[in-house]
Amino acid sequence: MRKKRLLLLMVWIGILVLTVFPLDNYAATTGKIAGKVIDKNTQEPLPGANVVIEGTKMGAATDLEGEYFIINVQPGIYAVRATMMGYTVVTKTNVRVAVDQTTTIDFELEPTVIEGQQISIVSERPVVDKDITGSQEIMDAGYIERAPIADLSGALSQKVGVYNTGETTYFRGGLASEVNYKVDGASLNSGLLSDNWQRLNTTAMQEVKVMTGGFNAEYGNAMSGVVNVVTKEASRQKQNFHGKFNYRMRPAGQYHWGPNMYSDDLWKYTNFDKEYWEGTLEDPAQRQNYANYFKRFYGWDGETVPSADQLLDTYREQITPDDVLGDYTERAEHEIEGTLYGALTENFTLLLTGRYKRGVNIFPQAHAYNPEYNAQAKLNYYFSSNKKLTLNVLRGWYKSATYTESNWNNMESSQEARWQPNADVRSPYDNKAYAPWGGYWLKGPQEKTINMATLKWQHTLSPATFYTVQFYLPG
């Protein structure tokens, strides 16, 4: 009864969330293991040998040519075992399975009369993958954990053909709108301006496949590149949980070249002193300009010409920033991220991941912080070893008062963006550096959200055939 109630709950949640069922091109999220089993002494094929992936219920038997293949394998690192009556048991470890690729694992079994004798071999990754037809690179969970990165953009920037400006990621010199991001087979592309949600949690990633050319037709709506992210999934055989928690803090301080943008040592402070203003008052034309400006903008109703002290005080008032702008080097940045995944029962596995970041821009901006969060839940229910239903829900939000990766804030697609400057100050020598609220037409702040849910059905009909049906609601 408990299993039935759990299944009904997943279905009802899927029905409530998926009120619209638009169809989109579906990206692959699994790989394949194939190879051949032969007699080590005679080099003859061994038909009927059993090949299984340890820790799972997936496996295959060799045909008359000694060949086998196992389809619909989640990306990851496995141990694969080959057995046959009258032969040693051979296990190959460190077998890496990648999305959309075939991992070739061949076995040589040696005849034996000792029952239970086993041989363990560490598999080596081939120098050249023969089934790759385009330009692509794969980052697995181990690479993501070891690399000196904090987010997906940082990981992508280390790959050939990818350029990251800090706000936007470009592929092969193309536009930001020509890239398509996917997670667990579902597109993260908005469609309207071809915006992509890139703020995913690295602790939840099992594999990231980066394609920069020659990708298949299944990866549509992309010209420059495709980023296909597959999240972690627990083994059904082991009813335990795994997790990872990250906390990052960037101390307050100055993180750009040059002096503080509001330092008292800047030329705009040191040059325009009282002596400077006294000198300008000696020019009759300039004296009249000051009188006109003060009457027009400051309601001046006293003397005909302001004094040097009044000019200096007025100038200092204009170039003195408010607390948000002036204290931009005194705020620390905090980020918390965590992922938990495992198997509650043999038929039910889940993944929960979340992140909250109180970002701080390295330049002065209209708001003190750029907050953001990202949460995802992936629930898997196995009807049997060959039937699985997955509900995947993603929610993300951020608010920024600086340049964002939105194409609306991008000169590539928006004429309005050409007219407006950025929402932050980027040069201490810019003539707009001291009055960003009134000195020019300010753009921002901006908010961006994503609400996405997918309901996916996977059915393996035979050792050689499976199909996947996925409905999703992009946000």
Side-chain angles (χ1 to χ4, degrees), residues 318-349:
Q318 293 300 309
I319 67 172
T320 300
D322 60 18
D323 291 340
V324 172
L325 294 170
D327 297 341
Y328 75 98
T329 61
E330 301 178 15
R331 290 184 288 269
E333 180 176 277
H334 300 272
E335 181 179 4
I336 300 174
E337 178 181 332
T339 296
L340 180 69
Y341 66 101
L344 290 176
T345 68
E346 185 176 350
N347 295 331
F348 181 60
T349 67

Side-chain angles (χ1 to χ4, degrees), residues 193-313:
L193 293 174
S194 197
D195 281 348
N196 288 285
W197 184 262
Q198 306 172 29
R199 300 166 184 268
L200 301 174
N201 300 343
T202 57
T203 56
M205 295 178 185
Q206 176 61 45
E207 181 177 293
V208 179
K209 183 176 182 180
V210 183
M211 291 168 281
T212 56
F215 33 85
N216 298 329
E218 64 184 296
Y219 300 102
N221 302 325
M223 297 177 65
S224 293
V226 174
V227 179
N228 190 18
V229 178
V230 179
T231 56
K232 295 176 180 179
E233 190 166 315
S235 170
R236 298 170 53 200
Q237 306 302 110
K238 301 177 181 180
Q239 295 181 24
N240 53 23
F241 278 82
H242 308 271
K244 187 172 183 179
F245 176 83
N246 286 337
Y247 169 74
R248 304 183 184 96
M249 189 273 285
R250 190 187 73 188
Q254 181 176 305
Y255 291 89
H256 63 77
W257 295 106
N260 184 294
M261 292 189 178
Y262 300 109
S263 171
D264 293 340
D265 296 329
L266 287 179
W267 183 79
K268 289 186 178 181
Y269 282 90
T270 60
N271 180 74
F272 299 98
D273 54 9
K274 184 177 179 179
E275 183 178 352
Y276 170 85
W277 296 109
E278 287 175 342
T280 60
L281 288 175
E282 295 176 359
D283 182 357
Q286 192 64 47
R287 288 168 59 90
Q288 187 60 47
N289 286 336
Y290 290 150
N292 294 337
Y293 286 143
F294 268 61
K295 289 178 181 179
R296 180 177 179 183
F297 296 107
Y298 303 108
W300 182 257
D301 56 0
E303 302 177 11
T304 304
V305 179
S307 66
D309 287 330
Q310 290 167 329
L311 289 173
L312 177 61
D313 291 342

Side-chain angles (χ1 to χ4, degrees), residues 9-60:
L9 178 61
M10 289 180 61
V11 173
W12 275 112
I13 293 175
I15 293 174
L16 291 174
V17 175
L18 303 175
T19 55
V20 180
F21 298 95
L23 294 177
D24 185 36
N25 53 306
Y26 173 74
T29 59
T30 60
K32 176 181 175 182
I33 297 177
K36 192 172 185 177
V37 181
I38 62 174
D39 187 301
K40 184 176 183 179
N41 296 334
T42 65
Q43 297 296 299
E44 294 293 326
L46 293 178
N50 292 316
V51 182
V52 297
I53 303 176
E54 293 186 350
T56 73
K57 295 183 178 181
M58 305 184 72

Side-chain angles (χ1 to χ4, degrees), residues 343-372:
L344 290 176
T345 68
E346 185 176 350
N347 295 331
F348 181 60
T349 67
L350 60 82
L351 175 140
L352 301 174
T353 179
R355 177 172 57 89
Y356 176 78
K357 179 180 180 180
R358 192 173 69 169
V360 178
N361 192 32
I362 66 174
F363 300 109
Q365 60 174 17
H367 285 179
Y369 299 99
N370 295 326
E372 65 176 84

Side-chain angles (χ1 to χ4, degrees), residues 1-8 345-347 381:
M1 288 298 293
R2 180 178 298 178
K3 293 181 179 179
K4 291 183 178 179
R5 291 177 181 175
L6 183 61
L7 175 60
L8 289 175
T345 68
E346 185 176 350
N347 295 331
Y381 186 83

